[in-house]
Amino acid sequence: MNVNKCLACEKELKGRSDKKFCDLYCKSSFHYKRTLEETPQFYSKVDKQLKLNRRILKTFNKSGKSTVRASTIIDLGFDSNFFTHYWKNVKGEVYLFVYEYGFLKKKEHNLEKFILIKWQDYMSQKK
């Protein structure tokens, strides 16, 4: 006779012949550990980068509008390829946003800079 054991705690299972776990706790912990061991999924990588970008933009934009050298925030892990939405101003400049914090890449005096802004209510009005 074949004895089945719990995949999480290896206790002997009683009941159905196709049973894999002794209780919901073991089932949950088994799947949680398995997901930690797997390589991160695409959406997890994107979400992690968006959160990092937002944290960096928030740190350097305390006043609602500021300018920072591109190298300063890129060295901290900022990646301008990850953003949630965009807004085009009257001048035709396109600000990329990470949630409520926006940025515009500019070159001034041969230095790459980011102009940082915070989302304002008037930006959501349709023209």
Side-chain angles (χ1 to χ4, degrees), residues 65-90:
K65 183 174 183 182
S66 60
T67 305
V68 64
R69 286 187 180 174
S71 60
T72 304
I73 61 175
I74 290 171
D75 290 346
L76 294 173
F78 183 81
D79 188 343
S80 62
N81 293 317
F82 291 84
F83 57 92
T84 56
H85 59 288
Y86 66 92
W87 173 72
K88 192 174 188 178
N89 68 8
V90 178

PDB file of all heavy atoms in Angstrom, residues 65-90:
ATOM      1  N   LYS A  65       8.126  71.238  -7.815  1.00  0.00           N
ATOM      2  CA  LYS A  65       8.859  71.393  -9.071  1.00  0.00           C
ATOM      3  C   LYS A  65      10.332  71.587  -8.735  1.00  0.00           C
ATOM      4  O   LYS A  65      10.677  72.419  -7.898  1.00  0.00           O
ATOM      5  CB  LYS A  65       8.357  72.580  -9.886  1.00  0.00           C
ATOM      6  CG  LYS A  65       9.072  72.680 -11.229  1.00  0.00           C
ATOM      7  CD  LYS A  65       8.515  73.752 -12.124  1.00  0.00           C
ATOM      8  CE  LYS A  65       9.266  73.701 -13.443  1.00  0.00           C
ATOM      9  NZ  LYS A  65       8.847  74.736 -14.371  1.00  0.00           N
ATOM     10  N   SER A  66      11.172  70.792  -9.379  1.00  0.00           N
ATOM     11  CA  SER A  66      12.611  70.925  -9.140  1.00  0.00           C
ATOM     12  C   SER A  66      13.374  70.394 -10.341  1.00  0.00           C
ATOM     13  O   SER A  66      12.802  69.763 -11.223  1.00  0.00           O
ATOM     14  CB  SER A  66      13.026  70.186  -7.866  1.00  0.00           C
ATOM     15  OG  SER A  66      12.720  68.820  -7.979  1.00  0.00           O
ATOM     16  N   THR A  67      14.662  70.642 -10.350  1.00  0.00           N
ATOM     17  CA  THR A  67      15.546  70.161 -11.404  1.00  0.00           C
ATOM     18  C   THR A  67      16.690  69.400 -10.765  1.00  0.00           C
ATOM     19  O   THR A  67      17.236  69.829  -9.756  1.00  0.00           O
ATOM     20  CB  THR A  67      16.105  71.345 -12.230  1.00  0.00           C
ATOM     21  OG1 THR A  67      15.006  72.117 -12.726  1.00  0.00           O
ATOM     22  CG2 THR A  67      16.933  70.853 -13.392  1.00  0.00           C
ATOM     23  N   VAL A  68      17.039  68.275 -11.369  1.00  0.00           N
ATOM     24  CA  VAL A  68      18.111  67.441 -10.830  1.00  0.00           C
ATOM     25  C   VAL A  68      18.923  66.869 -12.003  1.00  0.00           C
ATOM     26  O   VAL A  68      18.377  66.630 -13.078  1.00  0.00           O
ATOM     27  CB  VAL A  68      17.532  66.314  -9.931  1.00  0.00           C
ATOM     28  CG1 VAL A  68      16.678  65.354 -10.718  1.00  0.00           C
ATOM     29  CG2 VAL A  68      18.610  65.580  -9.196  1.00  0.00           C
ATOM     30  N   ARG A  69      20.216  66.724 -11.778  1.00  0.00           N
ATOM     31  CA  ARG A  69      21.057  66.117 -12.816  1.00  0.00           C
ATOM     32  C   ARG A  69      20.642  64.676 -13.039  1.00  0.00           C
ATOM     33  O   ARG A  69      20.349  63.941 -12.094  1.00  0.00           O
ATOM     34  CB  ARG A  69      22.526  66.148 -12.407  1.00  0.00           C
ATOM     35  CG  ARG A  69      23.127  67.505 -12.516  1.00  0.00           C
ATOM     36  CD  ARG A  69      24.599  67.454 -12.280  1.00  0.00           C
ATOM     37  NE  ARG A  69      25.143  68.796 -12.396  1.00  0.00           N
ATOM     38  CZ  ARG A  69      26.376  69.107 -12.129  1.00  0.00           C
ATOM     39  NH1 ARG A  69      27.221  68.182 -11.705  1.00  0.00           N
ATOM     40  NH2 ARG A  69      26.799  70.338 -12.274  1.00  0.00           N
ATOM     41  N   ALA A  70      20.636  64.260 -14.285  1.00  0.00           N
ATOM     42  CA  ALA A  70      20.215  62.905 -14.639  1.00  0.00           C
ATOM     43  C   ALA A  70      21.099  61.864 -13.967  1.00  0.00           C
ATOM     44  O   ALA A  70      20.609  60.853 -13.461  1.00  0.00           O
ATOM     45  CB  ALA A  70      20.234  62.723 -16.156  1.00  0.00           C
ATOM     46  N   SER A  71      22.392  62.120 -13.920  1.00  0.00           N
ATOM     47  CA  SER A  71      23.318  61.143 -13.338  1.00  0.00           C
ATOM     48  C   SER A  71      23.035  60.899 -11.857  1.00  0.00           C
ATOM     49  O   SER A  71      23.228  59.795 -11.360  1.00  0.00           O
ATOM     50  CB  SER A  71      24.762  61.603 -13.523  1.00  0.00           C
ATOM     51  OG  SER A  71      24.979  62.847 -12.883  1.00  0.00           O
ATOM     52  N   THR A  72      22.537  61.912 -11.168  1.00  0.00           N
ATOM     53  CA  THR A  72      22.250  61.783  -9.737  1.00  0.00           C
ATOM     54  C   THR A  72      21.194  60.726  -9.467  1.00  0.00           C
ATOM     55  O   THR A  72      21.363  59.864  -8.609  1.00  0.00           O
ATOM     56  CB  THR A  72      21.781  63.141  -9.154  1.00  0.00           C
ATOM     57  OG1 THR A  72      22.775  64.128  -9.419  1.00  0.00           O
ATOM     58  CG2 THR A  72      21.550  63.044  -7.662  1.00  0.00           C
ATOM     59  N   ILE A  73      20.097  60.783 -10.215  1.00  0.00           N
ATOM     60  CA  ILE A  73      19.023  59.821  -9.955  1.00  0.00           C
ATOM     61  C   ILE A  73      19.232  58.492 -10.674  1.00  0.00           C
ATOM     62  O   ILE A  73      18.795  57.458 -10.188  1.00  0.00           O
ATOM     63  CB  ILE A  73      17.622  60.416 -10.231  1.00  0.00           C
ATOM     64  CG1 ILE A  73      17.449  60.842 -11.681  1.00  0.00           C
ATOM     65  CG2 ILE A  73      17.350  61.576  -9.299  1.00  0.00           C
ATOM     66  CD1 ILE A  73      16.045  61.325 -12.000  1.00  0.00           C
ATOM     67  N   ILE A  74      19.924  58.514 -11.799  1.00  0.00           N
ATOM     68  CA  ILE A  74      20.211  57.259 -12.507  1.00  0.00           C
ATOM     69  C   ILE A  74      21.135  56.388 -11.671  1.00  0.00           C
ATOM     70  O   ILE A  74      20.981  55.167 -11.609  1.00  0.00           O
ATOM     71  CB  ILE A  74      20.777  57.535 -13.917  1.00  0.00           C
ATOM     72  CG1 ILE A  74      19.660  58.108 -14.805  1.00  0.00           C
ATOM     73  CG2 ILE A  74      21.377  56.278 -14.524  1.00  0.00           C
ATOM     74  CD1 ILE A  74      20.116  58.615 -16.149  1.00  0.00           C
ATOM     75  N   ASP A  75      22.090  57.020 -10.981  1.00  0.00           N
ATOM     76  CA  ASP A  75      23.002  56.270 -10.103  1.00  0.00           C
ATOM     77  C   ASP A  75      22.259  55.584  -8.955  1.00  0.00           C
ATOM     78  O   ASP A  75      22.738  54.592  -8.408  1.00  0.00           O
ATOM     79  CB  ASP A  75      24.089  57.188  -9.538  1.00  0.00           C
ATOM     80  CG  ASP A  75      25.082  57.639 -10.608  1.00  0.00           C
ATOM     81  OD1 ASP A  75      25.092  57.040 -11.705  1.00  0.00           O
ATOM     82  OD2 ASP A  75      25.840  58.594 -10.340  1.00  0.00           O
ATOM     83  N   LEU A  76      21.090  56.102  -8.590  1.00  0.00           N
ATOM     84  CA  LEU A  76      20.284  55.502  -7.521  1.00  0.00           C
ATOM     85  C   LEU A  76      19.376  54.376  -8.026  1.00  0.00           C
ATOM     86  O   LEU A  76      18.688  53.746  -7.247  1.00  0.00           O
ATOM     87  CB  LEU A  76      19.435  56.578  -6.839  1.00  0.00           C
ATOM     88  CG  LEU A  76      20.206  57.641  -6.078  1.00  0.00           C
ATOM     89  CD1 LEU A  76      19.265  58.742  -5.608  1.00  0.00           C
ATOM     90  CD2 LEU A  76      20.941  57.019  -4.899  1.00  0.00           C
ATOM     91  N   GLY A  77      19.371  54.160  -9.349  1.00  0.00           N
ATOM     92  CA  GLY A  77      18.572  53.078  -9.920  1.00  0.00           C
ATOM     93  C   GLY A  77      17.377  53.545 -10.716  1.00  0.00           C
ATOM     94  O   GLY A  77      16.578  52.734 -11.186  1.00  0.00           O
ATOM     95  N   PHE A  78      17.203  54.852 -10.896  1.00  0.00           N
ATOM     96  CA  PHE A  78      16.082  55.377 -11.674  1.00  0.00           C
ATOM     97  C   PHE A  78      16.194  54.932 -13.120  1.00  0.00           C
ATOM     98  O   PHE A  78      17.259  54.976 -13.730  1.00  0.00           O
ATOM     99  CB  PHE A  78      16.064  56.911 -11.597  1.00  0.00           C
ATOM    100  CG  PHE A  78      14.907  57.539 -12.318  1.00  0.00           C
ATOM    101  CD1 PHE A  78      13.671  57.602 -11.727  1.00  0.00           C
ATOM    102  CD2 PHE A  78      15.079  58.054 -13.587  1.00  0.00           C
ATOM    103  CE1 PHE A  78      12.599  58.184 -12.395  1.00  0.00           C
ATOM    104  CE2 PHE A  78      14.021  58.638 -14.255  1.00  0.00           C
ATOM    105  CZ  PHE A  78      12.774  58.703 -13.667  1.00  0.00           C
ATOM    106  N   ASP A  79      15.082  54.479 -13.693  1.00  0.00           N
ATOM    107  CA  ASP A  79      15.032  54.058 -15.097  1.00  0.00           C
ATOM    108  C   ASP A  79      13.865  54.774 -15.762  1.00  0.00           C
ATOM    109  O   ASP A  79      12.700  54.496 -15.464  1.00  0.00           O
ATOM    110  CB  ASP A  79      14.859  52.542 -15.194  1.00  0.00           C
ATOM    111  CG  ASP A  79      14.985  52.021 -16.618  1.00  0.00           C
ATOM    112  OD1 ASP A  79      14.884  52.828 -17.569  1.00  0.00           O
ATOM    113  OD2 ASP A  79      15.180  50.808 -16.781  1.00  0.00           O
ATOM    114  N   SER A  80      14.164  55.699 -16.666  1.00  0.00           N
ATOM    115  CA  SER A  80      13.129  56.523 -17.296  1.00  0.00           C
ATOM    116  C   SER A  80      12.261  55.741 -18.281  1.00  0.00           C
ATOM    117  O   SER A  80      11.267  56.277 -18.779  1.00  0.00           O
ATOM    118  CB  SER A  80      13.766  57.724 -18.001  1.00  0.00           C
ATOM    119  OG  SER A  80      14.639  57.286 -19.023  1.00  0.00           O
ATOM    120  N   ASN A  81      12.587  54.505 -18.552  1.00  0.00           N
ATOM    121  CA  ASN A  81      11.763  53.677 -19.444  1.00  0.00           C
ATOM    122  C   ASN A  81      10.529  53.121 -18.734  1.00  0.00           C
ATOM    123  O   ASN A  81       9.656  52.552 -19.377  1.00  0.00           O
ATOM    124  CB  ASN A  81      12.578  52.516 -20.006  1.00  0.00           C
ATOM    125  CG  ASN A  81      13.669  52.994 -20.927  1.00  0.00           C
ATOM    126  OD1 ASN A  81      13.463  53.872 -21.757  1.00  0.00           O
ATOM    127  ND2 ASN A  81      14.853  52.434 -20.774  1.00  0.00           N
ATOM    128  N   PHE A  82      10.462  53.273 -17.417  1.00  0.00           N
ATOM    129  CA  PHE A  82       9.338  52.767 -16.639  1.00  0.00           C
ATOM    130  C   PHE A  82       8.520  53.942 -16.113  1.00  0.00           C
ATOM    131  O   PHE A  82       8.984  54.699 -15.261  1.00  0.00           O
ATOM    132  CB  PHE A  82       9.832  51.897 -15.471  1.00  0.00           C
ATOM    133  CG  PHE A  82      10.427  50.598 -15.919  1.00  0.00           C
ATOM    134  CD1 PHE A  82      11.753  50.530 -16.324  1.00  0.00           C
ATOM    135  CD2 PHE A  82       9.658  49.446 -15.945  1.00  0.00           C
ATOM    136  CE1 PHE A  82      12.301  49.340 -16.751  1.00  0.00           C
ATOM    137  CE2 PHE A  82      10.194  48.248 -16.366  1.00  0.00           C
ATOM    138  CZ  PHE A  82      11.518  48.194 -16.772  1.00  0.00           C
ATOM    139  N   PHE A  83       7.313  54.098 -16.626  1.00  0.00           N
ATOM    140  CA  PHE A  83       6.420  55.174 -16.206  1.00  0.00           C
ATOM    141  C   PHE A  83       4.979  54.695 -16.352  1.00  0.00           C
ATOM    142  O   PHE A  83       4.710  53.703 -17.028  1.00  0.00           O
ATOM    143  CB  PHE A  83       6.672  56.463 -17.006  1.00  0.00           C
ATOM    144  CG  PHE A  83       6.540  56.304 -18.494  1.00  0.00           C
ATOM    145  CD1 PHE A  83       5.334  56.540 -19.125  1.00  0.00           C
ATOM    146  CD2 PHE A  83       7.631  55.903 -19.252  1.00  0.00           C
ATOM    147  CE1 PHE A  83       5.210  56.384 -20.499  1.00  0.00           C
ATOM    148  CE2 PHE A  83       7.515  55.742 -20.630  1.00  0.00           C
ATOM    149  CZ  PHE A  83       6.301  55.990 -21.254  1.00  0.00           C
ATOM    150  N   THR A  84       4.049  55.404 -15.707  1.00  0.00           N
ATOM    151  CA  THR A  84       2.653  54.969 -15.711  1.00  0.00           C
ATOM    152  C   THR A  84       1.789  55.710 -16.732  1.00  0.00           C
ATOM    153  O   THR A  84       0.854  55.140 -17.278  1.00  0.00           O
ATOM    154  CB  THR A  84       2.027  55.125 -14.316  1.00  0.00           C
ATOM    155  OG1 THR A  84       2.171  56.483 -13.894  1.00  0.00           O
ATOM    156  CG2 THR A  84       2.696  54.193 -13.318  1.00  0.00           C
ATOM    157  N   HIS A  85       2.065  56.981 -16.961  1.00  0.00           N
ATOM    158  CA  HIS A  85       1.287  57.759 -17.917  1.00  0.00           C
ATOM    159  C   HIS A  85       2.084  59.007 -18.304  1.00  0.00           C
ATOM    160  O   HIS A  85       3.194  59.201 -17.816  1.00  0.00           O
ATOM    161  CB  HIS A  85      -0.087  58.132 -17.348  1.00  0.00           C
ATOM    162  CG  HIS A  85      -0.029  58.928 -16.084  1.00  0.00           C
ATOM    163  ND1 HIS A  85       0.342  58.406 -14.869  1.00  0.00           N
ATOM    164  CD2 HIS A  85      -0.313  60.232 -15.841  1.00  0.00           C
ATOM    165  CE1 HIS A  85       0.281  59.335 -13.941  1.00  0.00           C
ATOM    166  NE2 HIS A  85      -0.097  60.456 -14.508  1.00  0.00           N
ATOM    167  N   TYR A  86       1.514  59.815 -19.187  1.00  0.00           N
ATOM    168  CA  TYR A  86       2.210  61.023 -19.618  1.00  0.00           C
ATOM    169  C   TYR A  86       1.239  62.192 -19.689  1.00  0.00           C
ATOM    170  O   TYR A  86       0.017  62.025 -19.683  1.00  0.00           O
ATOM    171  CB  TYR A  86       2.901  60.817 -20.958  1.00  0.00           C
ATOM    172  CG  TYR A  86       1.953  60.596 -22.113  1.00  0.00           C
ATOM    173  CD1 TYR A  86       1.512  61.656 -22.883  1.00  0.00           C
ATOM    174  CD2 TYR A  86       1.487  59.324 -22.423  1.00  0.00           C
ATOM    175  CE1 TYR A  86       0.639  61.464 -23.933  1.00  0.00           C
ATOM    176  CE2 TYR A  86       0.609  59.121 -23.468  1.00  0.00           C
ATOM    177  CZ  TYR A  86       0.191  60.199 -24.218  1.00  0.00           C
ATOM    178  OH  TYR A  86      -0.689  60.007 -25.248  1.00  0.00           O
ATOM    179  N   TRP A  87       1.813  63.400 -19.772  1.00  0.00           N
ATOM    180  CA  TRP A  87       1.038  64.626 -19.911  1.00  0.00           C
ATOM    181  C   TRP A  87       1.810  65.566 -20.812  1.00  0.00           C
ATOM    182  O   TRP A  87       3.023  65.737 -20.664  1.00  0.00           O
ATOM    183  CB  TRP A  87       0.806  65.270 -18.542  1.00  0.00           C
ATOM    184  CG  TRP A  87       0.159  66.616 -18.610  1.00  0.00           C
ATOM    185  CD1 TRP A  87      -1.131  66.898 -18.937  1.00  0.00           C
ATOM    186  CD2 TRP A  87       0.788  67.870 -18.358  1.00  0.00           C
ATOM    187  NE1 TRP A  87      -1.350  68.242 -18.895  1.00  0.00           N
ATOM    188  CE2 TRP A  87      -0.189  68.869 -18.538  1.00  0.00           C
ATOM    189  CE3 TRP A  87       2.071  68.246 -17.989  1.00  0.00           C
ATOM    190  CZ2 TRP A  87       0.086  70.214 -18.373  1.00  0.00           C
ATOM    191  CZ3 TRP A  87       2.346  69.582 -17.825  1.00  0.00           C
ATOM    192  CH2 TRP A  87       1.357  70.559 -18.013  1.00  0.00           C
ATOM    193  N   LYS A  88       1.100  66.166 -21.760  1.00  0.00           N
ATOM    194  CA  LYS A  88       1.719  67.106 -22.708  1.00  0.00           C
ATOM    195  C   LYS A  88       1.298  68.519 -22.337  1.00  0.00           C
ATOM    196  O   LYS A  88       0.110  68.817 -22.235  1.00  0.00           O
ATOM    197  CB  LYS A  88       1.248  66.770 -24.124  1.00  0.00           C
ATOM    198  CG  LYS A  88       1.988  67.451 -25.217  1.00  0.00           C
ATOM    199  CD  LYS A  88       1.506  66.914 -26.559  1.00  0.00           C
ATOM    200  CE  LYS A  88       2.337  67.422 -27.683  1.00  0.00           C
ATOM    201  NZ  LYS A  88       1.886  66.862 -28.967  1.00  0.00           N
ATOM    202  N   ASN A  89       2.283  69.401 -22.121  1.00  0.00           N
ATOM    203  CA  ASN A  89       1.958  70.777 -21.736  1.00  0.00           C
ATOM    204  C   ASN A  89       1.686  71.644 -22.967  1.00  0.00           C
ATOM    205  O   ASN A  89       1.733  71.171 -24.098  1.00  0.00           O
ATOM    206  CB  ASN A  89       3.053  71.376 -20.836  1.00  0.00           C
ATOM    207  CG  ASN A  89       4.360  71.606 -21.544  1.00  0.00           C
ATOM    208  OD1 ASN A  89       4.471  71.461 -22.762  1.00  0.00           O
ATOM    209  ND2 ASN A  89       5.389  71.971 -20.797  1.00  0.00           N
ATOM    210  N   VAL A  90       1.401  72.911 -22.749  1.00  0.00           N
ATOM    211  CA  VAL A  90       1.057  73.837 -23.825  1.00  0.00           C
ATOM    212  C   VAL A  90       2.202  74.002 -24.820  1.00  0.00           C
ATOM    213  O   VAL A  90       1.978  74.184 -26.011  1.00  0.00           O
ATOM    214  CB  VAL A  90       0.667  75.219 -23.219  1.00  0.00           C
ATOM    215  CG1 VAL A  90       0.345  76.224 -24.302  1.00  0.00           C
ATOM    216  CG2 VAL A  90      -0.511  75.060 -22.277  1.00  0.00           C
TER     217      VAL A  90
END
